[in-house]
């Protein structure tokens, strides 16, 4: 049986005004380039944006980490970056850390979430895309979706989910990975993923090995060795028939959870679920936003999208996010609005501290 691969590859290649949103011209060019590749390199595609991030959603049969797929995405990003430079858009080409493609976009700046699977009788997927936050932002939600019976009633009620799920966690600092099986090892899993700047959930599987979720774990600053904004992650989740229901997958986003990112990638802020039309970062370059597009994957075609957070059921969390934003903004440059010093090492703050390096004097005992 031919397997289906879903690849979501994203990059910020320039935006307007400032870091608010991707220009429609870039969306148009990206959509056209992917359409032209349909029938040869890929099967189907959808292009969108979350804030200043250009998002390419593609289906094909070539598996994860495929050179042709990654090269196609790279070519789209470089062409859009060229146009962005011509238009003098802000941060034109900022996430493209290499000059030329070399086999795989991982490590070159773009974020990648891919999964390969045998299509079930009917296969709903949800594609989540975020701006102004880091890959670990998904940790909380993935735990709620796949391991918390107070969120996902199927873990208790549905025999096909009752065995639980397996989580692959990456230590993005040490470049190591580990797997935890839930519910048995839930507390051990939480011991790590509760520190999302370092420990990031990369995959979730059913216990029989069927893939259920895949995320992007690229940390731009660690790659570039300098501040280049947050990573603005993406995630793909399969739903229904032995996986959490669509409603169970999106329900945790009704809670106003704080994530790292926002202005200058240096602040905690509420993670606000919005429809695509509201996926423009405004207030204090944010607040961090997440969109979710729902599709049916049908013989490798994408039926959809449905704009899942464009819904009055999510109005209240948006209001609560605004209230939290007020509380945090009142702190100005103080923690816990500003990130901890450890996390600030990956921002522009060290360059300021450097100026005062020689003015610090020892305090006599
Ligand atoms: C956050 C982000 C923005 C910028 C901010 C300053 O990921 O990209 O909040 O950090 O607008 O940008 P520069 O330094 O380019 O003026
Ligand atoms: Mg940007
Ligand atoms: Mg961004």
């Amino acid at each position: 049986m031919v397997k289906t691969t879903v690849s979501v590859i994203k990059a910020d290649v320039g935006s307007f005004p400032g870091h608010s949103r991707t220009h429609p011209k870039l969306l148009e060019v990206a959509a056209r380039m992917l359409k032209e590749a349909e029938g040869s390199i890929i099967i189907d595609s959808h292009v969108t944006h979350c804030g200043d991030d250009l998002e390419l959603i593609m289906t094909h049969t070539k598996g994860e980490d495929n050179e042709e797929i990654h090269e196609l995405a790279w070519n789209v990003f470089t062409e859009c970056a060229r146009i962005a430079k011509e238009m003098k858009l802000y941060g034109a080409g900022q996430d493209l850390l290499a000059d030329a493609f070399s086999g795989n976009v991982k490590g070159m700046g773009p974020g990648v979430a891919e999964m390969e699977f045998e299509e079930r009788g009917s296969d709903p997927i949800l594609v989540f895309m975020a701006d102004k936050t880091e890959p670990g932002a998904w940790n909380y939600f993935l735990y709620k979706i796949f391991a918390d019976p107070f969120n996902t009633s199927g873990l208790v009620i549905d025999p096909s989910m009752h065995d639980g799920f397996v989580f692959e966690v990456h230590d993005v600092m040490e470049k190591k990975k580990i797997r935890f099986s839930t519910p048995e090892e839930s507390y051990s899993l939480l011991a790590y993923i509760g520190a999302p700047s370092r420990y990031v959930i990369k995959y979730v599987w059913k216990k029989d090995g069927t893939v259920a979720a895949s995320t992007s774990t690229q940390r731009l600053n660690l790659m570039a060795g300098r501040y280049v904004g947050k990573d603005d992650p993406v995630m793909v989740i399969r739903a229904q028939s032995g996986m959490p229901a669509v409603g169970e997958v999106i329900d945790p986003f009704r809670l106003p959870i704080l994530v790292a990112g926002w202005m200058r990638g240096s602040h905690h802020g509420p993670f606000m679920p919005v429809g695509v039309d509201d996926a423009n970062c405004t207030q204090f370059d944010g607040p961090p936003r997440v969109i979710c597009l729902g599709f049916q994957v049908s013989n490798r075609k994408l039926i959809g999208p449905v704009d899942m957070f464009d819904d009055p059921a999510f109005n209240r969390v948006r209001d609560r996010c605004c209230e939290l934003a007020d509380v945090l903004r009142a702190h100005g440059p103080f923690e816990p609005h500003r990130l901890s010093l450890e996390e600030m090492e990956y921002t522009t703050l060290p360059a300021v501290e450097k100026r005062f390096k020689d003015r610090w004097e020892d305090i006599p005992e």
Side-chain angles (χ1 to χ4, degrees):
M1 186 180 188
V2 189
K3 288 188 177 176
T4 301
T5 311
V6 176
S7 295
V8 182
I9 308 187
K10 50 83 41 183
D12 176 353
V13 293
S15 49
F16 87 111
H19 292 278
S20 306
R21 66 158 291 171
T22 310
H23 195 278
K25 175 79 188 159
L26 304 191
L27 296 173
E28 195 188 299
V29 169
R32 180 173 43 76
M33 287 180 77
L34 291 190
K35 277 283 161 263
E36 282 165 9
E38 284 178 16
S40 53
I41 303 172
I42 56 175
I43 293 174
D44 206 356
S45 62
H46 181 80
V47 171
T48 189
H49 78 101
C50 184
D52 57 12
D53 291 279
L54 174 59
E55 319 276 358
L56 314 180
I57 302 168
M58 299 170 281
T59 55
H60 54 94
T61 53
K62 298 175 194 298
E64 293 184 34
D65 285 323
N66 179 271
E67 182 163 348
E68 269 184 282
I69 301 296
H70 283 226
E71 187 169 23
L72 172 64
W74 182 260
N75 290 344
V76 171
F77 293 140
T78 46
E79 175 59 10
C80 288
R82 189 189 64 76
I83 297 165
K85 280 175 193 155
E86 240 170 48
M87 293 172 78
K88 286 183 72 179
L89 294 183
Y90 201 70
Q94 74 157 46
D95 284 0
L96 306 182
L97 303 179
D99 296 326
F101 180 71
S102 59
N104 190 310
V105 288
K106 285 182 188 163
M108 298 175 75
V112 184
E114 296 182 294
M115 56 161 67
E116 186 186 31
F117 53 87
E118 274 178 25
E119 279 185 30
R120 297 170 291 169
S122 181
D123 224 305
I125 61 162
L126 295 161
V127 181
F128 291 86
M129 295 154 274
D131 191 27
K132 307 293 186 271
T133 190
E134 62 187 11
W138 302 132
N139 286 3
Y140 173 91
F141 299 96
L142 285 167
Y143 184 85
K144 295 284 282 185
I145 295 163
F146 290 101
D148 180 3
F150 282 79
N151 178 76
T152 300
S153 60
L155 291 168
V156 179
I157 293 171
D158 180 353
S160 69
M161 255 204 281
H162 197 73
D163 286 347
F165 290 87
V166 174
F167 290 72
E168 180 174 308
V169 177
H170 287 196
D171 176 341
V172 293
M173 301 295 180
E174 295 294 324
K175 295 202 168 70
K176 285 174 180 287
K177 60 182 181 179
I178 187 170
R179 286 183 190 188
F180 292 104
S181 201
T182 59
E184 316 88 272
E185 297 183 305
S186 303
Y187 298 163
S188 314
L189 171 66
L190 287 167
Y192 291 96
I193 62 169
S197 62
R198 174 161 176 179
Y199 299 103
V200 180
I201 298 168
K202 176 69 187 169
Y203 291 106
V204 181
W205 294 283
K206 283 177 76 71
K207 288 201 171 151
D208 66 6
T210 311
V211 69
S214 172
T215 75
S216 62
T217 49
Q218 283 70 29
R219 293 278 326 250
L220 270 177
N221 300 307
L222 303 180
M223 282 187 246
R226 67 190 150 84
Y227 180 68
V228 276
K230 281 284 180 199
D231 319 278
D232 308 334
V234 288
M235 160 167 90
V236 187
I237 296 184
R238 295 171 81 196
Q240 307 290 154
S241 311
M243 309 283 181
V246 167
E248 289 168 333
V249 175
I250 60 174
D251 205 46
F253 290 88
R254 274 188 320 100
L255 294 170
I257 294 305
L258 299 181
V259 294
W262 208 349
M263 175 60 77
R264 299 177 188 277
S266 305
H267 297 83
H268 287 115
F271 202 25
M272 186 188 271
V274 292
V276 176
D277 284 346
D278 291 319
N280 307 318
C281 285
T282 54
Q283 188 221 342
F284 199 53
D285 282 4
R289 284 170 204 233
V290 51
I291 58 170
C292 173
L293 295 185
F295 299 92
Q296 287 288 142
V297 182
S298 173
N299 300 319
R300 291 162 281 286
K301 288 276 191 188
L302 291 167
I303 299 185
V306 174
D307 190 352
M308 302 302 290
F309 293 142
D310 178 17
D311 186 306
F314 289 88
N315 283 348
R316 204 156 69 93
V317 63
R318 290 190 270 266
D319 286 345
R320 295 178 76 192
C321 284
C322 288
E323 270 165 36
L324 271 171
D326 288 345
V327 174
L328 284 162
R329 287 296 300 122
H331 290 71
F334 283 78
E335 296 177 8
H337 183 25
R338 199 175 79 178
L339 302 187
S340 70
L341 278 182
E342 201 187 335
E343 286 178 81
M344 292 299 288
E345 274 177 44
Y346 305 98
T347 69
T348 46
L349 182 68
V352 173
E353 289 169 332
K354 214 168 156 190
R355 291 193 188 171
F356 301 97
K357 196 167 72 30
D358 300 327
R359 276 178 47 187
W360 284 90
E361 296 174 36
D362 289 335
I363 302 172
E365 288 293 311

